[in-house]
């Protein structure tokens, strides 16, 4: 199954006899000292007809702490949130966000990790949608989705460190954060020793849509993926890394997510930190 869906394909699916459950996951990373982005207000101002708002910070993550800024949600609470949104195991799901793709990919990854068989991300997000919007809030029938975690590979800090030595660990953050030149959010800048810089922003074109699968395969091949090399991805808090895992899936390359990511790694002063352009 393709991990993404175009706006035209989504329009056709929504008009068909078995429309997908549609999740609006608008969210943006907020810099310290700035007012948080209000995804629910953006949703209320206009969303794709039938879409249900999902709050990334509250429903796709648990509270920030030692495990990072966006730890995985409690499985039972995540399942309840998805059922409230109308998600069932036998019905396709499409997630979208404002266009960046990171938040929608987080929803995609969580649902796939939790065992849902058919989840896709709207390629290009709401920016790519040229159909009507509505402000009416739907009241979906309760879904029956029962999470069964483990369908996608997941890394912890020790696993990420090992993969950086034995396979390929990709850092999906901006290059300057990887190099340790700036760190606007976490305790310290730099990267996990052995990780390779691979900003997820370079997986999309000027239109905000993912590059063609062949181009993505070539990009990841140049970074060291291929020939059975195990691949993992991390970012700041496990959100933009989910977008890189999505891009890898489109390229046909399975990859594990380090959900705690840099916000968990850097919180422990005992963990090593590398700086500069060299992985080591």
């Amino acid at each position: 199954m393709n991990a993404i869906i175009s706006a035209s394909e989504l329009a056709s699916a929504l008009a068909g006899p078995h429309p997908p459950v549609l999740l609006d996951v608008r969210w943006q990373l907020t810099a310290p000292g700035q007012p948080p982005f209000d995804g629910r207000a953006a949703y209320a101002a206009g969303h794709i007809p039938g879409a249900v708002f999902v709050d990334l910070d509250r429903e796709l993550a648990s509270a920030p702490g030692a495990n990072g800024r966006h730890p995985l949600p409690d499985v039972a609470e995540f399942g309840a949130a998805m059922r409230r949104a109308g998600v069932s195991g036998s019905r396709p799901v499409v997630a979208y966000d404002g266009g960046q793709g990171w938040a929608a990919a987080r929803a995609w990854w969580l649902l796939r990790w939790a065992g849902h068989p058919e989840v896709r991300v709207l390629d290009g997000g709401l920016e790519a949608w040229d159909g009507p919007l509505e402000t009416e809030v739907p009241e979906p029938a309760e879904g029956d989705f029962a999470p069964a975690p483990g369908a996608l590979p997941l890394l912890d800090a020790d696993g990420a460190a090992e993969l950086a030595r034995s396979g390929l660990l990709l850092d999906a953050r901006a290059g300057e954060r990887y190099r340790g030149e700036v760190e606007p959010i976490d305790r310290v800048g730099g990267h996990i020793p052995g990780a390779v810089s691979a900003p997820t922003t370079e997986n999309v074109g000027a239109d905000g849509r993912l590059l063609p699968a062949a181009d993505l395969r070539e990009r990841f091949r140049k970074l060291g993926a291929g020939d059975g090399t195990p691949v993992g991805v991390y970012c700041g808090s496990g959100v933009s890394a989910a977008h890189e895992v999505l891009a890898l899936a489109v390229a046909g390359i399975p990859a594990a997510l380090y959900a705690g990511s840099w916000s968990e790694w850097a919180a422990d002063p005992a963990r090593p930190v590398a700086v500069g352009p060299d992985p080591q």
Side-chain angles (χ1 to χ4, degrees):
M1 183 193 69
N2 197 347
I4 57 175
I5 185 172
S6 70
S8 60
E9 290 171 330
L10 176 58
S12 295
L14 291 173
H18 304 290
V21 173
L22 196 54
L23 305 180
D24 184 312
V25 201
R26 272 179 275 184
W27 171 90
Q28 290 179 17
L29 182 64
T30 301
Q34 298 297 313
F37 173 78
D38 192 340
R40 191 174 294 276
Y43 168 83
H47 50 267
I48 298 176
V52 176
F53 180 72
V54 172
D55 190 316
L56 185 147
D57 290 319
R58 293 174 175 81
E59 296 174 311
L60 303 183
S62 55
N67 292 324
R69 281 183 280 109
H70 288 107
L72 295 185
D74 175 85
V75 171
E77 292 178 3
F78 171 66
M82 293 299 97
R83 290 190 293 273
R84 287 195 301 270
V87 174
S88 292
S90 60
R91 188 176 172 190
V93 177
V94 173
Y96 73 89
D97 56 27
Q100 193 175 39
W102 298 2
R106 171 77 173 210
W108 166 83
W109 187 89
L110 275 170
L111 281 165
R112 293 288 294 114
W113 169 76
H116 198 290
E118 192 171 354
V119 190
R120 288 183 285 179
V121 168
L122 174 59
D123 194 18
L126 193 61
E127 291 295 319
W129 176 257
D130 58 3
L133 299 178
E134 70 176 16
T135 57
E136 180 180 353
V137 177
E139 297 182 3
E142 182 89 0
D144 64 11
F145 178 62
L152 292 183
L154 175 67
L155 295 171
D156 59 11
D158 290 341
E162 172 57 31
L163 189 60
R165 295 188 294 266
S166 63
L168 176 65
L169 182 65
L170 299 176
D171 185 318
R173 297 172 301 158
E176 58 268 24
R177 291 183 70 191
Y178 169 89
R179 295 187 296 270
E181 297 166 359
V182 299
E183 182 43 65
I185 303 172
D186 294 312
R187 185 186 67 85
V188 65
H191 57 270
I192 297 173
V196 174
S197 180
T200 200
T201 52
E202 296 179 15
N203 294 321
V204 299
D207 59 1
R209 302 177 193 183
L210 282 172
L211 299 174
D215 293 351
L216 290 171
R217 277 193 295 272
E218 180 62 14
R219 181 190 185 217
F220 293 124
R221 183 193 67 79
K222 290 180 178 177
L223 290 168
D227 299 324
T229 301
V231 179
V233 188
Y234 75 96
C235 60
S237 66
V239 177
S240 66
H243 188 260
E244 186 125 295
V245 173
L246 175 77
L248 283 154
V250 170
I253 301 169
L257 176 72
Y258 173 23
S261 283
W262 186 249
S263 58
E264 177 185 54
W265 182 275
D268 184 349
R271 294 193 181 108
V273 171
V275 296
D278 189 290
Q280 300 302 330

